[in-house]
Amino acid sequence: MATENIEIAGAGEQESAPTALAEPETSPEAETPSATATAVPRVRAYPVAPGVRLNVRSGPGTDYRIVRVLPEGTTVPIYCQRPGDSVTGPYGTSNLWDCIANSQYVSDAYVKTGSDGYVAPRCA
């Protein structure tokens, strides 16, 4: 199965996350789908709080530089999560930070995940 990798940096470590899913290659000789299919974790996307232009930072805390600002009505993928600075937002107070792209983090207090805990793997 072909996948495209995105490097997610944090504290000097990197991990790979699939960004695209490809159809498994099959041959006429394959009798069962499980013979060629492999499990690939899917990345879920979550909405940012309504009316919020959200700062995206280079790390999991408010002392990290702002790399961009998300417009209102944005939905973000969460590749992994890690603890960092505690932030109070529309969805409570949280020290979780969501990695939405390579070296790009947003506070989980501004993302509607439906949970106060982890909804994605911990960042390495």
Side-chain angles (χ1 to χ4, degrees):
M1 174 181 296
T3 59
E4 200 174 294
N5 290 330
I6 181 171
E7 292 180 12
I8 302 173
E13 298 177 351
Q14 296 179 341
E15 74 177 44
S16 296
T19 57
L21 297 177
E23 291 298 319
E25 294 180 20
T26 59
S27 66
E29 294 82 28
E31 294 181 10
T32 63
S34 62
T36 57
T38 58
V40 176
R42 292 183 183 243
V43 175
R44 281 196 60 195
Y46 299 89
V48 171
V52 171
R53 294 182 67 233
L54 187 58
N55 290 335
V56 179
R57 297 187 177 270
S58 62
T62 56
D63 289 340
Y64 288 88
R65 70 182 175 82
I66 296 171
V67 295
R68 63 184 171 130
V69 178
L70 299 176
E72 293 181 26
T74 300
T75 299
V76 294
I78 300 178
Y79 292 99
C80 63
Q81 294 175 293
R82 69 179 326 132
D85 290 349
S86 185
V87 172
T88 299
Y91 300 117
T93 300
S94 179
N95 73 333
L96 288 181
W97 286 75
D98 306 330
C99 183
I100 63 168
N102 192 22
S103 298
Q104 296 184 22
Y105 293 85
V106 295
S107 171
D108 194 63
Y110 285 87
V111 180
K112 187 176 183 179
T113 62
S115 173
D116 289 337
Y118 287 89
V119 297
R122 291 179 187 240
C123 300

